[in-house]
Amino acid sequence: MGSGCLKVTKYFLFLFNLLFLILGAVILGFGIWILADKTSFIAVLQMSSPSLKIGAYILISVGALTMLMGFLGCLGAVNEIRCLLGLYFTCLMIILITQVAAGLVIYFQKETLKEELSRIVRNLIEKYDPLNDDERNLQDAWDYVQTQIACCGWTGAKDWESNEILINQSMTAYPCSCSNSSKDFQVDTGFCNLDVLINSTAAYAGWPVHQQGCMYGVEQWLKDNLGVILGVCTGVAVIELLGMILSISLCKNIHSEDYTKVPKS
């Protein structure tokens, strides 16, 4: 490889590694956000499922590793250090294989993940209690989800019939965050009482709430954003492949140190 091509490869690899530094920071920030977020659907999962916490720690680790890898790649490219370029190539290959493996696991385990998610939300709805301060963050997060997606329950408003407090009140109240009435827009947590009761008991069908379950809203969001998610994943994979090609090419064509130039004693 000519010296001109070697320089071009070196500086392209340097630019790729700057991208990796930024990508690592984004992944690291996303992992921290999952652990710190208390006001969205992620909070419901994070506080109920240990698997999401583990996933967040994995993201933080991958982000830190990606930033370190970008730094090593920049250093190896600028100074033409073979061992750093070899280490960079190896790390890229491991990360790419891990990403593919994770994608396959998520794809083949999607039904299991869906069942786990359903179990978490149903248990939250059943135990929902506005006076329980210990679960306040989790319950507020679920209220936020129902308000933002304009949904009720996981599969529908009927899920709330299993709530212990509503059973004790003979279904004469309903979750305020499910309400489709304009008078309840200022109240998005806890339970609201029905205005008029024909009988001493009621049912979810008579509640002024959204009948669609949040499961469908979440699935629709994933469908709407699937192209973006796949595009980002594909772009990251392409960058990683190009980084591997450039690093191995540069590593193979860097001339070994010419020790014949060292003055003899």
Side-chain angles (χ1 to χ4, degrees):
M1 181 183 289
S3 60
C5 291
L6 189 65
K7 285 184 179 180
V8 170
T9 302
K10 181 171 70 173
Y11 290 120
F12 263 111
L13 185 59
F14 178 79
L15 290 175
F16 273 114
N17 282 287
L18 284 180
L19 290 177
F20 273 113
L21 278 170
I22 297 171
L23 177 64
V26 171
I27 295 173
L28 181 67
F30 185 62
I32 294 173
W33 171 69
I34 290 177
L35 291 177
D37 182 67
K38 303 297 181 186
T39 59
S40 72
F41 188 62
I42 293 294
V44 177
L45 302 181
Q46 187 262 124
M47 297 179 71
S48 302
S49 175
S51 59
L52 190 68
K53 290 184 179 180
I54 293 172
Y57 287 121
I58 291 174
L59 282 175
I60 291 172
S61 301
V62 170
L65 178 62
T66 303
M67 292 182 70
L68 176 62
M69 185 186 64
F71 173 75
L72 292 176
C74 286
L75 192 62
V78 171
N79 295 292
E80 300 182 3
I81 304 174
R82 279 186 169 182
C83 63
L84 289 182
L85 291 173
L87 180 62
Y88 171 77
F89 174 85
T90 303
C91 289
L92 264 185
M93 185 170 61
I94 292 173
I95 289 177
L96 187 59
I97 292 173
T98 302
Q99 287 174 342
V100 172
L104 291 174
V105 168
I106 291 173
Y107 178 78
F108 288 110
Q109 296 293 320
K110 59 183 178 181
E111 289 302 321
T112 302
L113 293 173
K114 187 176 179 180
E115 290 174 5
E116 181 184 1
L117 184 56
S118 176
R119 178 188 59 79
I120 291 169
V121 174
R122 288 179 187 277
N123 183 66
L124 168 62
I125 290 173
E126 182 180 338
K127 302 296 183 182
Y128 184 97
D129 181 357
L131 300 179
N132 186 354
D133 292 332
D134 294 336
E135 300 293 332
R136 178 61 57 83
N137 288 335
L138 180 60
Q139 293 174 167
D140 286 348
W142 181 243
D143 284 328
Y144 177 83
V145 171
Q146 292 190 138
T147 302
Q148 293 300 311
I149 302 181
C151 58
C152 193
W154 183 240
T155 59
K158 185 176 175 62
D159 291 344
W160 281 95
E161 287 194 326
S162 63
N163 179 264
E164 296 172 357
I165 293 178
L166 293 181
I167 291 173
N168 293 334
Q169 294 184 7
S170 301
M171 301 298 160
T172 58
Y174 58 92
C176 298
S177 57
C178 287
S179 178
N180 59 10
S181 174
S182 59
K183 72 180 183 64
D184 294 326
F185 281 171
Q186 300 300 320
V187 182
D188 55 7
T189 59
F191 295 120
C192 295
N193 294 318
L194 290 172
D195 291 333
V196 180
L197 296 177
I198 299 176
N199 302 310
S200 58
T201 61
Y204 80 93
W207 293 346
V209 299
H210 302 287
Q211 295 300 316
Q212 177 177 283
C214 297
M215 175 181 68
Y216 308 104
V218 172
E219 289 180 345
Q220 187 59 47
W221 181 88
L222 289 174
K223 289 178 182 178
D224 293 342
N225 294 275
L226 186 60
V228 176
I229 295 171
L230 289 176
V232 170
C233 292
T234 302
V236 170
V238 169
I239 291 174
E240 288 172 345
L241 283 173
L242 288 174
M244 290 172 65
I245 293 170
L246 289 172
S247 63
I248 198 66
S249 176
L250 183 59
C251 186
K252 288 174 64 177
N253 288 280
I254 290 176
H255 298 295
S256 299
E257 291 82 358
D258 188 356
Y259 293 104
T260 59
K261 296 180 179 179
V262 179
K264 295 182 180 180
S265 56

